[in-house]
Amino acid sequence: MNKICKGGAVVALAAVLTGCGDGFLRQDPLSFYEPSTTYVNKTGIESAIAMCDQHLLTYIADDNWNVIPMTSNYIMSDIGLYAKTDMGGGFMDDFDGKITPTSGMETGGDGNAMMRFWNEAYTGIKHANTVLSYIDQVEGLDAETRNVYRGRAYFHRAYRYYNLVLQFGDVPLVTRIIDVPKQDYKSTSKEAIFQMLVSDLEFAVQHVPSQRQLNTVGVVNQEACMHLLAKCYLVTGDYAKAEQVCTELISSHGLALMTAPFGQFVAGEQATWPVTRNVIWDLHRGENVCDAANTELIMPILNFSPQWRKNYNAMRTVFAHWSNGIIRDPAGTGQATMNYSRLAAGYDVNNDWVRAIGRGIGCFRTSHHFNKTIWIDEEGTPDYQDLRHNRSVGNWVEMEDIRYNKLNGDGTAASPDYYGKPMQLYATEDYVDKESGETIVHAGDLLCSDTIRSWYPIQLCNVYIFDANNEANTGADQFNGASSGSNGNMYLFRLAETYLIRAEARFYQGKAAEAADDVNALRKRANARHLYTTVTIGDILDERARELYLEEWRQAELVRVSWCLAKSGRPDEWGNTYSLDNWDKQEGTDLSGGSYWFRRLTTYSLFNHGPIISNDVSLNYQVNKHNLFWPIPNSAITANIAAPLRQNYGYDGYSADIPMFTDWQEAVADEER
């Protein structure tokens, strides 16, 4: 096999193409069969569309045991960090030095998935292009039916390019399945690609049926096309159009924010961590995503089918590694917590934390800003009544809520003095050994030696997944998330984000009070204490964090907002303004300047504030201003041997002299020549 195809990756551009042989690059459609016979009827083209729909799950989930690829959209953000300290800091020890075009973009099972997002984006683009390349050859379709399929394919391609461009910047534009090898792609500017996305999505909105006209859930509908179009309008600076589309979607499509419990009530071990049923909890259960009563759903990502499903171990990946020897109790017990099975000697249903909150291993952790700052109101009071941060109803879990539960092999408590009592970060008093009289623990001692990986809260309402496979096994002690038999359905889009898109559109037009109304719609639903009379862009971004944790692609959305601020000229929450001339072309790790993305990272998280020590490991969370965009993979550049692709600013190989298309129609014409 040609070395460009190493690892089964799609070939040209390291992901666009599916066939390889004889040392040259090819583009094959989805099917292994002859396309002239496969895509000539409705059944064949529907199978191609189905692959587009199914790929939405593959895009963010890959059956990884330890980590979900989605977290790669958070590890360089204002609300998250790579946390697996036993990797010696891994690539996160120095993003600036380790994320390069030739390394650091795929760090293995517990690291990042940057290269995977490049590959999977182009795989999804290939699926959509298969439909678009053969739709006019399908027999027996009337013009409008043909346009429905075309519109759905446009949506799928637009969704992949939306994320790809906001992660990687100027990329090759591939819009068709080509008939002959092509190794001379040029990059196309991100501005030009978004102009194409707008054109394609406007077509899709006109032709794809509304969900009310469909007999199934999980296929592209008009509402999803409108939602994505509004986001693209923000990028192109068409703020009034974005507002108009959002208003129509909110008001005229039978959609509404959910305001009361609905569907099934699904929770973990209630004797250990009781959840009082509430709308936010019900809204995020996979069992309820596609419930007929859910008027907030725009389009789901389906992950509950024997034929098509992926492990999505969200609880394992994102919750603190609470069940290990890193955490001592105030008696100095070597390991004070454990994840035991229901068959364990001395099993205590009141202390079964692994079934209540999952077996976290702390690959990814949230920032202090997400954990604390954004929940404090203008008066400096923590808003514990906001359902998204509410411990009393069970939606949010602090480490101090977990109780020591370590058992000996005979079922007795490993630490009788503290078993069943809340965990403590610091000892509140001296602990003296009863036999020797020696002081084992002193008041003020730190009881968790790794506060990066093993001590942070969790927004349980957004993360909990009923692990049906392990629940059925009384010997299981690894409750991780959506395993076999679990309902792992997720949201692609829901109406809550539509309100936040409209809030942005209004903000960029100087309508801060109306933008506040949109943010307040979500805050009222969540029973938040404080409502806004006006909002900054920071307020909108914070509300996105509260509402859309692990739903939005945080890195991509921060880049998009950075771009929108530069285009609109509106100030950020600190009064800074940005220029289209250099918002994406700045260099350095100092705390001055940079894009809005860079300012949020260095203001609201640990980035670029010097090394910290956790569990005797020195971690230097450092990013460069040019890390705003991830590097174009070198494998894509070397595969495209007949023309140079443009590397992103700040990375090895960048040159402003490398030509690229600035008109998407010219790029398409180049494919067709």
Side-chain angles (χ1 to χ4, degrees), residues 320-322 324 326-327 399 448 450-456:
H321 194 8
W322 56 269
N324 63 20
I326 295 297
I327 300 173
M399 295 300 294
C448 175
D450 188 353
T451 55
I452 291 291
R453 187 181 183 189
S454 293
W455 200 274
Y456 56 91

Side-chain angles (χ1 to χ4, degrees), residues 75-76 92 94-96 588-590 597-598 601-602 607-608 620-627:
I75 53 178
M76 270 204 304
M92 280 301 294
D94 179 9
F95 239 118
D96 181 30
T589 59
D590 60 286
W597 164 83
F598 184 79
L601 260 68
T602 55
F607 293 99
N608 296 22
N620 186 25
Y621 287 97
Q622 182 162 280
V623 295
N624 197 299
K625 294 165 188 173
H626 73 246
N627 293 139

Side-chain angles (χ1 to χ4, degrees), residues 219-344:
V219 300
V220 176
N221 55 39
Q222 183 186 50
E223 290 79 9
C225 297
M226 293 172 68
H227 185 95
L228 185 56
L229 175 59
K231 297 178 80 167
C232 291
Y233 277 149
L234 291 180
V235 174
T236 58
D238 295 312
Y239 310 125
K241 288 183 179 180
E243 180 183 3
Q244 179 182 1
V245 170
C246 289
T247 297
E248 181 182 346
L249 190 54
I250 290 168
S251 304
S252 304
H253 283 257
L255 298 168
L257 296 177
M258 296 302 297
T259 57
F262 70 100
Q264 300 180 49
F265 178 57
V266 181
E269 179 48 67
Q270 293 291 280
T272 300
W273 183 250
V275 174
T276 302
R277 192 170 187 184
N278 62 87
V279 63
I280 296 296
W281 183 269
D282 283 353
L283 187 64
H284 289 283
R285 304 289 64 80
E287 292 80 357
N288 296 335
V289 167
C290 297
D291 190 281
N294 188 356
T295 57
E296 193 161 330
L297 172 68
I298 293 176
M299 185 175 170
I301 299 173
L302 299 179
N303 189 20
F304 184 52
S305 165
Q307 293 79 32
W308 187 262
R309 53 162 301 280
K310 293 284 186 182
N311 290 327
Y312 192 74
N313 294 328
M315 295 189 296
R316 182 179 180 88
T317 297
V318 303
F319 198 25
H321 194 8
W322 56 269
S323 57
N324 63 20
I326 295 297
I327 300 173
R328 301 180 299 152
D329 65 23
T333 304
Q335 181 171 341
T337 52
M338 65 182 294
N339 43 294
Y340 48 56
S341 79
R342 283 158 282 173
L343 299 179

Side-chain angles (χ1 to χ4, degrees), residues 79-81 318 364-368 370-371 396 456-458 549:
I79 63 172
L81 297 163
V318 303
F364 164 83
R365 66 157 293 148
T366 40
S367 67
H368 181 81
F370 180 79
N371 297 336
W396 184 277
Y456 56 91
I458 189 70
Y549 176 54

